[in-house]
Amino acid sequence: MTVGRAEVGLDANHQGQVPQDTAPVFTPDPVTLAHLELILNGAYPLTGFMTSEESASTIKHGRLPDGTAWPVPVTLPVPDELAGAERLVLADPEGAPLAELRVGQHWWSDHRDHEYGHRLAGEVRFARPPMYGVLRHLRLAPTEIRGQRDIGGFADRPLLAVLAERPLHHRSLHQIRAAAEEIGGDGRAEVLVLIDTPLDDEGLTPAILAAEPLLPPRTRFVVTTLPTSGRRDGHPLPAGRHDLLAAHVARAYGATHLLIDRAPGDPAATCEEHGHAPIPILPAAEWRYDTREELWRRADQVPDDRAETEPGDAEVEEMLALGRELPSWFTPARVATELHRLCPARTRRGLTVFLTGLSGSGKSTIARGVAEGVRRAGRTVTLLDGDVVRRLLSSGLTFSRADRDLNIRRIGYVAAEITRHGGVAVCAPIAPYAATRAQVRAMVEENGDFFLVHVATPLEVCEERDRKGLYAKARAGEIPEFTGISDPYEEPTDADLVVDTRDAAEGESVAEVLSALRAGGWLPDHHDHRNHPSHVEHHDHR
């Protein structure tokens, strides 16, 4: 989020004009940005952000104070310095103004899950079309879709909106076609697929689009971002509210019915929870794959002993990670191909192997062996370990807690860049603080995979080894803030693997890590050492 000041003016037609005065510029959080776009493009029947009374009524009753049904609060949290603003320019993350808010109420939320307690309410006035966000060419406004249907002469036909957050596999495609036939009667129903994805991430959208030839004729696709916060202002929303929000947005696009594509096993909301829906939310007909007939049929026509169990999303993700083919009975070839492109096998993904443990735990020795094993498996690897890295990457830093944290973040940044380019980074710093390790994990996982190894050798064993005499100096007070003696080591609770070198030979610990990487799919099961050139870049850091 950013706060600043810029000269922004709006004319009577709500278009950007030569500035006349100044107003604070604020970039809202992603949830609020999603609300703002849906207000501005007409998908919401709202003119701006809610007052305290409107928000409370929506949370409690699912209605505005005037009785209008509406499922979720739409509020604008702002930092303290903007709490008294009378005007506010709302901008995207790149600083481009989207709208001007004329503040009608300043209010405070006592119970919240947001860092800001202050709220501003009031109407928003359009400034300029949004440019920020992925798949902008598919983020069509409701008026555009309704206009296309009018021009095509199909405006009087039923329109089935399908909310999709995941690829459309065979079961989902059968459900969509069955629902379209049901509401269309003579086959005249059209389909609009609303793809729900974040503003800055296309996610699995290409895999959803890959199913287009298998959907009814004239199926249209629109990308939108429905706010995903199940709690706002600290209040849990009743079940089914997200479905109701989708129904309101679908109606704005001209839909007469809504079908929500759900993962296997996901429970559907009850009829009571859908009671305020502006259009019918259809229950999805159940389909099962008949192994004897080798086709999909309605569930009541397939005996249990002939029904194939459909893999869930987590199982599909694991199959893709391990490079396994998705069953043809489960998903169309076009969708499978796109999924394999979007979610390559782990042997082709960047990876950071991050070993953490006390000084003398053996992590550096293990890291060197792991790097060599990764190299022999045919992957490009960089070893970040020991004094060389501290001298070259973090020259000038002290051993204070702040500087040690900065040192780890720098290592994390380098590892994240290696990972982003498809390489393997093996890091072995002490990294005693959980918060800093979490920051490194977050940096890496933006573009690749992170594997945390806790080398959990006990302190007394590390002290016995004490090859450099560091523990003795720390005990004597010669080294301040020494991890394990005068400064804490926060043991990981999120380690992917825990090894203890106390009674293990060096080769055993290395083999344990390599075996875990191989089982996870990051290393191939079989490799010929003779066919893989060396790719190790060796740097030291402790």
Side-chain angles (χ1 to χ4, degrees):
M1 302 178 199
T2 59
V3 180
R5 298 191 72 86
E7 295 185 353
V8 177
L10 299 171
D11 69 5
N13 295 320
H14 305 172
Q15 298 295 318
Q17 284 288 307
V18 177
Q20 301 298 321
D21 57 2
T22 62
V25 178
F26 175 61
T27 298
D29 65 88
V31 170
T32 309
L33 270 178
H35 281 312
L36 177 62
E37 180 154 328
L38 293 168
I39 292 171
L40 294 175
N41 73 10
Y44 281 4
L46 306 175
T47 59
F49 292 101
M50 293 181 174
T51 64
S52 173
E53 295 75 18
E54 290 169 336
S55 175
S57 178
T58 298
I59 291 169
K60 184 175 182 179
H61 305 294
R63 293 183 178 278
L64 296 171
D66 64 3
T68 302
W70 185 255
V72 298
V74 181
T75 65
L76 175 61
V78 297
D80 294 349
E81 60 266 31
L82 295 178
E86 298 302 324
R87 292 174 55 227
L88 196 62
V89 172
L90 302 176
D92 68 20
E94 295 174 347
L98 299 172
E100 180 189 44
L101 172 72
R102 296 282 184 174
V103 180
Q105 183 188 76
H106 309 77
W107 57 285
W108 174 265
S109 175
D110 289 318
H111 303 287
R112 63 189 190 279
D113 63 349
H114 197 281
E115 60 179 311
Y116 302 144
H118 292 286
R119 300 288 187 271
L120 299 182
E123 292 189 1
V124 293
R125 303 172 63 195
F126 175 84
R128 65 184 65 179
M131 301 297 293
Y132 174 81
V134 298
L135 303 165
R136 183 52 63 185
H137 66 289
L138 289 176
R139 292 182 178 273
L140 304 178
T143 52
E144 294 177 85
I145 294 298
R146 295 198 305 268
Q148 290 176 9
R149 298 189 73 219
D150 285 339
I151 293 172
F154 306 125
D156 61 337
R157 298 186 182 183
L159 177 62
L160 172 67
V162 178
L163 182 66
E165 300 175 328
R166 50 192 297 278
L168 300 174
H169 301 297
H170 281 306
R171 176 179 59 85
S172 298
L173 292 168
H174 280 284
Q175 289 176 333
I176 293 169
R177 289 191 292 262
E181 290 176 4
E182 179 182 340
I183 69 171
D186 57 1
R188 296 173 69 243
E190 293 190 301
V191 174
L192 172 68
V193 179
L194 296 173
I195 303 174
D196 185 10
T197 193
L199 275 171
D200 59 354
D201 182 7
E202 71 174 15
L204 297 176
T205 299
I208 297 174
L209 295 172
E212 181 176 12
L214 306 172
L215 289 164
R218 297 186 305 279
T219 293
R220 294 178 173 85
F221 292 86
V222 167
V223 170
T224 188
T225 300
L226 296 183
T228 55
S229 175
R231 294 168 59 90
R232 201 59 194 259
D233 298 320
H235 299 273
L237 294 174
R241 290 290 183 92
H242 186 264
D243 294 359
L244 292 175
L245 179 63
H248 279 276
V249 171
R251 183 181 65 171
Y253 279 93
T256 57
H257 301 76
L258 173 66
L259 178 69
I260 298 176
D261 181 55
R262 304 184 193 277
D266 280 1
T270 65
C271 294
E272 291 76 17
E273 291 164 345
H274 287 165
H276 294 166
I279 57 176
I281 301 177
L282 303 178
E286 286 301 320
W287 290 73
R288 304 170 83 181
Y289 183 71
D290 190 325
T291 55
R292 190 184 73 182
E293 302 294 332
E294 296 186 339
L295 52 80
W296 284 85
R297 306 172 67 189
R298 289 189 179 268
D300 57 4
Q301 300 174 356
V302 183
D304 290 344
D305 61 350
R306 284 170 27 199
E308 183 67 73
T309 301
E310 183 179 5
D313 289 350
E315 187 177 350
V316 170
E317 183 179 347
E318 187 67 11
M319 294 170 69
L320 294 169
L322 296 176
R324 298 173 183 168
E325 292 298 321
L326 300 181
S328 59
W329 63 264
F330 161 66
T331 195
R334 294 172 55 92
V335 176
T337 298
E338 199 60 38
L339 282 173
H340 279 290
R341 184 187 69 81
L342 293 168
C343 307
R346 289 187 182 130
T347 51
R348 295 166 49 204
R349 297 185 200 172
L351 169 68
T352 290
V353 181
F354 195 95
L355 296 95
T356 175
L358 295 169
S359 177
S361 62
K363 61 187 180 301
S364 298
T365 303
I366 296 172
R368 286 192 292 272
V370 168
E372 177 63 16
V374 171
R375 178 195 67 78
R376 290 184 177 277
R379 299 207 60 178
T380 301
V381 59
T382 301
L383 177 60
L384 301 169
D385 176 58
D387 297 332
V388 174
V389 167
R390 184 163 188 104
R391 185 172 68 249
L392 297 178
L393 187 63
S394 300
S395 176
L397 295 185
T398 70
F399 284 88
S400 68
R401 173 163 184 162
D403 278 2
R404 282 184 289 166
D405 271 351
L406 178 57
N407 182 47
I408 300 304
R409 288 197 295 271
R410 287 180 178 178
I411 293 171
Y413 173 77
V414 174
E417 287 299 295
I418 294 167
T419 300
R420 183 167 68 90
H421 291 286
V424 178
V426 179
C427 314
I430 293 173
Y433 309 124
T436 313
R437 294 192 300 262
Q439 290 175 349
V440 173
R441 179 188 285 274
M443 278 192 286
V444 171
E445 289 185 340
E446 285 185 6
N447 297 290
D449 296 336
F450 185 85
F451 191 89
L452 181 63
V453 179
H454 179 205
V455 184
T457 307
L459 175 62
E460 57 271 19
V461 176
C462 296
E463 281 201 76
E464 288 175 6
R465 295 172 179 174
D466 203 12
R467 299 182 182 93
K468 298 181 181 180
L470 298 176
Y471 282 99
K473 292 181 179 180
R475 292 288 187 190
E478 298 176 24
I479 303 178
E481 295 184 293
F482 189 85
T483 301
I485 303 300
S486 53
D487 205 60
Y489 176 78
E490 299 172 358
E491 294 197 358
T493 58
D494 60 341
D496 299 287
L497 179 67
V498 178
V499 298
D500 186 344
T501 66
R502 177 173 30 186
D503 299 317
E506 170 190 330
E508 293 174 340
S509 297
V510 171
E512 189 175 356
V513 177
L514 291 174
S515 176
L517 296 179
R518 192 168 289 111
W522 288 285
L523 300 180
D525 287 333
H526 303 286
H527 55 273
D528 184 348
H529 294 190
R530 298 168 300 176
N531 294 334
H532 297 296
S534 175
H535 290 296
V536 174
E537 300 173 23
H538 190 157
H539 307 284
D540 262 351
H541 173 81
R542 178 166 301 166

